Amino acid sequence: MIDKSSPLPIYYQIEEQIKEQIMSGILEPGDMLRSEREYAEYYQVSRMTVRQAINNLVSLGLIYKKKGSGTFVQEKKIEQALHGLTSFTEDMRSRGLTPSSRLIDFSIIPATQVVAKELMIEEHTPVYEIKRIRLGDDIPIAFETNIIPANLVLGLTEEIVANSIYNYVENKLKLHIGSATQVIESATATKAEAELLDIPKQSPILLIERKTFLANGTPLELVKSSYRGDRYKFMININRKS
Ligand code: 16G
């Protein structure tokens, strides 16, 4: 099963074989992999070679190591389609996961110059600053900070933001959310983010900045979200210009 005469490195061949077993479902989420020693014996290679294959699969987020117990197949990543302006609550529900939030901060602060410019309001105008850990089926998925003009989204409370901001804006305030610009980049988790998201420090994360507008063009929110790179991926449908 390992072709030692192949130009492909041996660790890579092992990596591909394990990956194939995960993709085809022979190995399922939560299954424990064989130990390094067992793989080394099975493939007749050194443990170092096996370790390299395993570490690469860990970096890819396909498997994870649990201290003292072994290496396991990771749950499938949550795929978010980037063709609709959806809320976290909707994203989770559409995947059959139960959304929840842990409120880290809820305060009203004066808008800084930068925030004021982005939200097209006067500097020092009160804005909500909301920091939440967003969970799906009780697993932390993202850490999110929203900045929202206080005199636009009236009556926001801790209880509301512990549920869904978009639901309140649309169904209670009857405002129409229209569009958003979104920038996604890769980063590694800071110590604080790692603690909040329950991942090792320096783990890969997807950093998303969204600016959302009401249908009439008024800026509604500035949002920074750090999504766990091991649990989340984005999908876009693209059409070639005709
Ligand atoms: C998503 C949005 C965020 C929005 C939130 C509302 C991204 C990157 N961000 O997390 O801008 O404020 O949903 O969610 O998608 P909620 O209605 O559940 O509070």
Side-chain angles (χ1 to χ4, degrees), residues 2-18:
I2 290 293
D3 179 0
K4 289 192 173 163
S5 64
S6 161
L8 292 173
I10 292 168
Y11 72 83
Y12 180 76
Q13 295 184 46
I14 297 175
E15 188 183 320
E16 285 298 300
Q17 287 191 16
I18 300 176

Side-chain angles (χ1 to χ4, degrees), residues 80 86-91 132 134 144 146 161 163-167 182 208 210 212 221 223 225 227:
Q80 182 182 337
T86 52
S87 71
F88 184 85
T89 303
E90 291 163 343
D91 289 343
R132 299 177 290 175
R134 322 278 340 238
E144 193 159 78
N146 298 57
V161 305
N163 289 290
S164 167
I165 295 177
Y166 281 14
N167 181 43
Q182 194 158 290
I208 304 174
R210 181 189 279 191
T212 313
E221 60 169 3
V223 185
S225 313
Y227 278 80

Side-chain angles (χ1 to χ4, degrees), residues 85-86 166 177-183 209-214 221:
L85 178 46
T86 52
Y166 281 14
I177 299 174
S179 62
T181 54
Q182 194 158 290
V183 177
E209 288 194 9
R210 181 189 279 191
K211 182 163 151 186
T212 313
F213 302 87
L214 296 179
E221 60 169 3

